[in-house]
Amino acid sequence: MIATWQDAIAWGVLVLPLIVLAWAAMWFVNVQAERNRYERYQRFHAIMEQLGSKDGSTADKMAAAYELRNYREYAEVISKIFANGHVRTDANDMLQAQLKETLKYVRGPKT
């Protein structure tokens, strides 16, 4: 084991770079995960814009609607926007309700 201070230094020289490498790997994975989450949001947003646009063919909109199946993490907002297969028309009420829910969520539980 570690009998002398030279042994302790040798172990430190061996272990310290491994700790630094592990930290760097964790940081890299976290950065990549955040980048992927943002890119996924961007794609979701583009799909929603395509569905909401007045232009575009029915086939394009059908394909975009089908693609929404891959975004289950947005199921709550998707279900609020589309009711019974139709885009809801009460936009102001819908937006106000969503903003109120977001504010309640951001504030967190009352202590």
Side-chain angles (χ1 to χ4, degrees), residues 17-34:
L18 294 176
I19 291 171
V20 170
L21 283 173
W23 178 83
M26 287 176 39
W27 179 80
F28 178 77
V29 167
N30 286 337
V31 167
Q32 287 299 108
E34 183 63 24

Side-chain angles (χ1 to χ4, degrees), residues 29-69:
V29 167
N30 286 337
V31 167
Q32 287 299 108
E34 183 63 24
R35 181 177 293 139
N36 289 341
R37 188 197 67 75
Y38 179 71
E39 288 172 359
R40 188 164 171 79
Y41 166 75
Q42 291 288 73
R43 290 191 303 268
F44 172 75
H45 192 324
I47 291 169
M48 294 302 288
E49 280 193 352
Q50 184 175 5
L51 282 172
S53 73
K54 301 289 183 198
D55 302 336
S57 69
T58 301
D60 287 343
K61 290 185 180 192
M62 286 177 64
Y66 182 83
E67 187 64 22
L68 282 178
R69 297 176 187 183

